Amino acid sequence: MKFINNFIIAAALCFFATSCHNSTDNDISGKWLVKEINGKEIQQSMNIPSLTFNTEDNSYHGVTGVNILNGDFKLKDGTISFGDGAMTRMMGDSISMLVEMNYLDALSNASNFNIENNILFVYDKDGNPIISLVRE
């Protein structure tokens, strides 16, 4: 009987711990798919750009839709910045290359971020939304 009581208490604690999860939790770890760049939605027919954040070593790995990129990032008090990274140099169709150019530009202008409902919003230094990503 004591085992059942302890089990119920443990289950209740787990339930309350997970139900109180804040939807604005700013843990960016993991893979994110780009949803919009500068307010323009990424079309589903394209190779979807993505970013995977590793917060253990502050590195990222991404796909621009055409090329692969890797680098490091810094987080501090709701701010984010991306260091110079390495990228493959393949060519794609003109639309994919334009998306890549806008994506790289957005990353280079990243300043602030927040997460709401598993969507990562990145803003420039003036507070304008420049990119949104959905947690995969």
Side-chain angles (χ1 to χ4, degrees):
M1 185 68 164
K2 189 173 184 177
F3 172 76
I4 292 174
N5 286 340
N6 288 341
F7 177 77
I8 292 171
I9 291 169
L13 289 172
C14 287
F15 171 78
F16 287 117
T18 58
S19 67
C20 294
H21 178 71
N22 185 350
S23 66
T24 60
D25 179 13
N26 280 340
D27 178 16
I28 66 168
S29 299
K31 185 173 182 179
W32 299 82
L33 301 176
V34 177
K35 180 179 175 183
E36 291 182 345
I37 301 172
N38 297 320
K40 295 180 182 173
E41 191 168 334
I42 301 297
Q43 298 176 5
Q44 292 298 321
S45 62
M46 298 176 57
N47 292 327
I48 304 298
S50 65
L51 271 180
T52 301
F53 293 97
N54 181 339
T55 54
E56 290 181 17
D57 65 1
N58 289 338
S59 67
Y60 68 86
H61 171 78
V63 176
T64 67
V66 177
N67 287 291
I68 296 170
L69 65 146
N70 296 288
D72 61 346
F73 66 94
K74 293 180 184 172
L75 297 177
K76 184 177 181 183
D77 302 326
T79 65
I80 188 167
S81 61
F82 294 88
D84 292 334
M87 186 173 84
T88 59
R89 295 287 179 191
M90 297 183 293
M91 291 296 294
D93 63 85
S94 60
I95 293 173
S96 297
M97 295 305 294
L98 180 61
V99 168
E100 177 179 275
M101 182 181 72
N102 291 333
Y103 180 43
L104 295 172
D105 185 56
L107 293 179
S108 70
N109 288 307
S111 180
N112 299 329
F113 78 99
N114 75 313
I115 299 172
E116 293 182 29
N117 300 320
N118 285 320
I119 299 175
L120 170 60
F121 296 97
V122 180
Y123 307 92
D124 65 15
K125 64 181 170 97
D126 297 322
N128 300 310
I130 53 175
I131 192 166
S132 63
L133 303 97
V134 178
R135 192 182 297 272
E136 186 178 63

